[in-house]
Amino acid sequence: MLMLLLAGVALWLLIVIAVLGLCRAAARADQQEAARRAVRTGRRGATVGLAAMAATVTGLPGDAQARQGGCANRGVPYQRAPTLVRAAIACEVDRVRTSRGLGWLRDNRRLKIAARRHSADMVRRHYFSHYTPAGTGPGDRARRAGYVRSGCRWYIGEVLAWGIANRSTAAGTVRAWLNSPGHRAVILSRTYVDGGVGTRAGTPTGQSSGVTVTMVVGRRSC
């Protein structure tokens, strides 16, 4: 009788362990799927490309400028002043968000790393997508940059653009996003609180005079 009782207890424990394992796996899958559902893709025109999945800021002077209602260097082409244009993109996004009662996005170094790496990779390998030719996605890049960590609940978003001439300015880039319903919804989302922007000279189509922009946003709770 004792042996049967012990065997029953052991079987019950095995069932509980198996159920807990399935729950953990389902939770991880739900988190990853939540990030992937944010993805939208699209393209526009011969001199501008768009792909939507989120919005962000850089941690340069954008926050203060946005609160004052104006952004410096918003009309400067990327080739003339890359650093200033990155700051202006951040400022423009903050300006739009704050004008609608949303908070500006907190600068996050790890998301900027993920954004910069993806812009560089798209220019180098001539593709324009949230997913690399090998299938690596925004969540994977955020993980490699150290933003996504085991044990954390997380959401990742991403917005892409490329442009040349006046489409390589901060004003032109953000205006194109706002004119696209999918991109606009992401930029004005309350879901994301952290962000990072990364740029690379050149376009996925091989035009050296343009710019490729990646903006990554996220939220995590550990």
Side-chain angles (χ1 to χ4, degrees):
M1 178 65 70
L2 179 61
M3 293 297 292
L4 289 174
L5 179 61
L6 291 174
V9 171
L11 179 60
W12 180 80
L13 288 173
L14 287 174
I15 292 172
V16 169
I17 291 171
V19 170
L20 289 175
L22 289 172
C23 289
R24 292 193 194 98
R28 285 195 298 269
D30 287 344
Q31 292 169 11
Q32 293 170 354
E33 181 60 24
R36 288 174 182 165
R37 279 198 299 267
V39 177
R40 302 286 187 276
T41 59
R43 296 185 182 180
R44 173 183 294 188
T47 60
V48 63
L50 298 175
M53 182 190 145
T56 184
V57 320
T58 59
L60 289 165
D63 290 353
Q65 292 179 35
R67 279 174 279 178
Q68 294 169 4
C71 296
N73 304 302
R74 62 191 304 272
V76 176
Y78 182 79
Q79 293 292 334
R80 282 179 48 190
T83 300
L84 296 180
V85 172
R86 282 194 296 272
I89 290 172
C91 178
E92 284 289 288
V93 171
D94 271 347
R95 182 182 62 79
V96 172
R97 287 177 61 87
T98 55
S99 70
R100 288 160 176 78
L102 304 172
W104 53 86
L105 296 164
R106 300 180 307 206
D107 172 54
N108 186 278
R109 182 178 63 87
R110 298 185 187 279
L111 292 182
K112 286 196 291 188
I113 291 172
R116 184 170 64 247
R117 287 174 176 173
H118 192 49
S119 289
D121 191 54
M122 287 190 291
V123 171
R124 181 173 63 87
R125 294 203 280 174
H126 304 295
Y127 71 94
F128 186 63
S129 172
H130 296 292
Y131 292 91
T132 70
T136 300
D140 301 306
R141 290 189 288 275
R143 187 184 302 278
R144 290 176 182 174
Y147 182 80
V148 171
R149 297 185 302 225
S150 298
C152 295
R153 182 177 179 83
W154 55 270
Y155 301 91
I156 290 294
E158 186 176 83
V159 167
L160 310 177
W162 64 262
I164 61 173
N166 66 330
R167 296 297 184 94
S168 71
T169 66
T173 298
V174 177
R175 186 184 307 115
W177 284 333
L178 292 175
N179 286 336
S180 165
H183 297 74
R184 182 185 181 88
V186 153
I187 287 176
L188 300 180
S189 172
R190 295 179 181 272
T191 299
Y192 306 106
V193 297
D194 301 318
V197 59
T199 59
R200 175 55 64 96
T203 73
T205 58
Q207 295 161 294
S208 60
S209 61
V211 62
T212 298
V213 182
T214 300
M215 302 179 72
V216 184
V217 292
R219 176 193 289 269
R220 61 184 176 183
S221 176
C222 300

